[in-house]
């Protein structure tokens, strides 16, 4: 699934024959997309527990980083990318995609959402009897 009309048009023009081929194309170019799975509509909501991740951190404008700061950043980055749901970084595009490319293989995306998708994932509910979930 893509959010951009331009990306949808690009897919039509490139005439992909398989979904994995399209996903590989998106991953290789940092084009945002999702690998949603469908299921009958339910009233379940993703469980939104407070994140224990502090992200990759931030510093004040005039902060002068030290070597230990960069090492801490690398450790936080590597820890983040070891999580199963980090596959979403490859599907996000932008700078997070750029960071993820060297840490996560495309096979992590091509297998679809993780086992925790219904607990921690994102749901899209169009009108009707089906909902679509992804990490």
């Amino acid at each position: 699934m893509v959010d951009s009309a331009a990306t949808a048009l690009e897919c039509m023009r490139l005439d992909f024959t398989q979904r994995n081929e399209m996903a590989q194309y998106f991953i290789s170019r940092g084009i945002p997309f999702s690998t949603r799975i469908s299921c009958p509509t339910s009233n379940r909501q993703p469980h939104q527990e407070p994140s224990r991740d502090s992200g990759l951190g931030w510093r004040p404008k005039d902060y002068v980083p030290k070597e230990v700061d960069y090492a801490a950043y690398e450790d936080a980055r590597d820890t983040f990318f070891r999580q199963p749901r980090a596959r979403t970084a490859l599907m996000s595009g932008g700078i997070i995609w750029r960071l993820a490319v060297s840490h996560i293989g495309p096979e992590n995306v091509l297998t679809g959402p993780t086992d925790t998708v219904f607990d921690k994932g994102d749901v899209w509910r169009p009108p009707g009897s089906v909902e679509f979930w992804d990490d």
Side-chain angles (χ1 to χ4, degrees):
M1 183 177 288
V2 296
D3 291 332
S4 161
T7 301
L9 181 59
E10 185 175 4
C11 291
M12 301 276 299
R13 287 183 177 161
L14 291 172
D15 196 28
F16 292 109
T17 57
Q18 296 181 4
R19 281 183 276 179
N20 280 357
E21 183 182 9
M22 189 182 323
Q24 289 272 19
Y25 177 81
F26 293 154
I27 292 168
S28 70
R29 288 168 177 75
I31 298 171
F33 72 104
S34 64
T35 57
R36 295 187 181 275
I37 56 172
S38 62
C39 69
T41 298
S42 68
N43 289 327
R44 85 177 130 217
Q45 295 293 322
H47 177 40
Q48 300 296 326
E49 63 185 45
S51 176
R52 293 181 207 148
D53 297 327
S54 62
L56 297 178
W58 67 274
R59 299 288 184 261
K61 181 180 176 181
D62 298 328
Y63 185 79
V64 178
K66 299 174 179 70
E67 252 184 73
V68 69
D69 295 316
Y70 188 71
Y73 155 76
E74 287 182 314
D75 185 53
R77 180 200 62 202
D78 294 347
T79 298
F80 171 77
F81 285 129
R82 280 193 294 271
Q83 299 174 41
R85 293 184 66 229
R87 62 185 286 281
T88 60
L90 274 183
M91 299 186 296
S92 296
I95 192 159
I96 191 70
W97 165 79
R98 178 68 69 185
L99 293 169
V101 165
S102 61
H103 290 82
I104 303 170
E107 65 280 357
N108 293 304
V109 171
L110 302 177
T111 57
T114 61
D115 294 338
T116 61
V117 68
F118 297 116
D119 295 324
K120 299 179 180 181
D122 175 61
V123 63
W124 176 56
R125 291 188 174 102
S129 60
V130 177
E131 56 191 28
F132 299 90
W133 290 77
D134 202 359
D135 290 308

